[in-house]
Amino acid sequence: MIDGAIVVDAVVHPYNLDPGNQNPAAQEQLEAVYGAHVVATGPDHPEHLLTREEFFSDFPFAAIADSLFVESPIDLAIIHALPNLGFCREHVTDPDRAAAFRDRYPDRFRLYATVDTPATDAAIAQLERQVRDLGVDGLKLYPAFFYDNTGEGWRMDGADFATPLLEAARDLGIRNVAVHKALWLPPAPRSAFDIDDLDGALERFSDLNFFMVHAGAAFLDRTADLLARHRNLHATLESVFAYAVVRPPVFAKILGTLLRSCGADQLLFGSGTNLSHPAPLIAAFDGYELPADLVAEHGYPQLTAEDRRKILGGNALRLHGIDAAAVETATAADEFARRRTGTDVRPWAALRAETAVRS
């Protein structure tokens, strides 16, 4: 908690980048993913930087949990299951393994399903199984599928795949749909990560909450326009929050532009851990205000304490129908809360302790 308010991380995903799960033909993409972690961590937080051996591993769910609930002031997190993304043989974050960990700590985690096939009927069957067997709280989508070392894009307004999949999601009771946009994942076509396909989906499925993950990392003005016109669209600021640490002027511009377009009600914090450790991001945003010169120059509304509370957790709680008091009661004295009060809390402690035992 921060100042008595629940903090929710809207995107976490322990990567399975163990050599046994790596696609040997995708070394360039794998190096780019590690490079993104290095850039997002920045030179001022070397203790939060994962070594190559630590990063290219089957990252322990326990280490993710500690990064959130022991090493950071986060109370609840949403795990996003991830398909192979071209650089892995199987899921980057497997939904069944994520569900099993969530079931160990149901007061601390929620889970989004995913699908990994462009075959519509098969994708719907995957979603049906995850809803039935895993009890998911939403759906995470990537606008491309990767197989045979190629990437095939699809559109959120497409009649053959997206529309029937979203109709099925709605029929299954899913109300929250997150889609990765703005950040290109080759070898899929760059056009798949554009946002020109969102208008149609937002209008057709006005009863669903959509979350644009990485919102503002590209297409900033067009993203702001979409947020202003569609109140069922929300900006999940995974990767953008890292800019608060490593590129503060860029973070201020993105946040100010989005606040000017839609206010704070449609913006959500997301760390993407283990891509970024959440602690430096939260520390940079605690008490954050937009620079006065940018407010004066661009007419940005100044960020308020209430805005920060909404972005850091209030919006995620509201959109998922979660009661803040219930979260506080359930987590106040659990094992993570007890260990958080320790005097020697270090980044990635669970992971590094396990590595030390193995060596």
Side-chain angles (χ1 to χ4, degrees), residues 46 75 135 143 150 219 325 327 348 354 359:
D75 303 286
T150 63
F219 318 118
V327 174
W348 306 122
E354 180 178 308
S359 59

Side-chain angles (χ1 to χ4, degrees), residues 35-270:
H37 166 68
V38 173
V39 170
T41 304
D44 295 333
H45 297 277
E47 69 278 15
H48 293 89
L49 181 68
L50 295 163
T51 66
R52 292 176 59 84
E53 179 184 6
E54 291 167 341
F55 191 79
F56 289 116
S57 66
D58 186 357
F59 207 85
F61 280 85
I64 292 293
D66 275 16
S67 77
L68 295 160
F69 311 130
V70 178
E71 301 160 10
S72 307
I74 293 169
D75 303 286
L76 184 71
I78 301 173
I79 303 173
H80 286 210
L82 306 181
N84 68 61
L85 301 181
F87 46 80
C88 286
R89 298 177 184 272
E90 304 293 340
H91 288 89
V92 176
T93 303
D94 180 80
D96 289 272
R97 294 179 65 189
F101 193 76
R102 185 251 353 243
D103 290 346
R104 287 178 58 188
Y105 304 105
D107 298 321
R108 289 290 190 172
F109 288 106
R110 299 296 185 269
L111 173 63
Y112 279 16
T114 198
V115 297
D116 64 1
T117 173
T120 305
D121 290 345
I124 291 173
Q126 289 181 352
L127 181 57
E128 289 173 342
R129 184 196 72 81
Q130 291 172 73
V131 170
R132 181 186 66 243
D133 297 345
L134 305 184
V136 298
D137 303 280
L139 172 63
K140 172 62 173 290
L141 297 171
Y142 277 78
F145 292 106
F146 301 87
Y147 50 89
D148 298 332
N149 296 319
T150 63
E152 177 183 326
W154 56 274
R155 292 180 59 88
M156 286 287 289
D157 57 3
D160 294 333
F161 180 78
T163 297
L165 179 63
L166 292 171
E167 287 173 345
R170 181 170 59 190
D171 291 344
L172 289 165
I174 288 177
R175 291 294 177 267
N176 296 302
V177 178
V179 57
H180 175 115
K181 285 289 186 179
L183 293 184
W184 177 37
L185 289 177
R190 189 187 295 268
S191 60
F193 299 87
D194 204 325
I195 61 175
D196 61 344
D197 58 342
L198 293 180
D199 260 315
L202 291 164
E203 292 171 1
R204 181 184 291 272
F205 297 97
S206 59
D207 54 335
L208 300 184
N209 299 316
F210 287 88
F211 301 84
M212 188 195 307
V213 182
H214 307 292
F219 318 118
L220 177 58
D221 290 337
R222 291 163 57 202
T223 298
D225 178 64
L226 278 170
L227 288 163
R229 291 188 292 108
H230 297 286
R231 293 300 172 179
N232 62 324
L233 177 64
H234 305 84
T236 301
L237 303 175
E238 181 194 356
S239 70
V240 168
F241 249 92
Y243 296 164
V245 176
V246 299
R247 302 175 70 188
V250 176
F251 178 74
K253 178 182 178 181
I254 293 172
L255 184 60
T257 300
L258 299 182
L259 284 169
R260 188 176 58 192
S261 70
C262 65
D265 289 344
Q266 290 165 257
L267 310 182
L268 288 83
F269 165 72

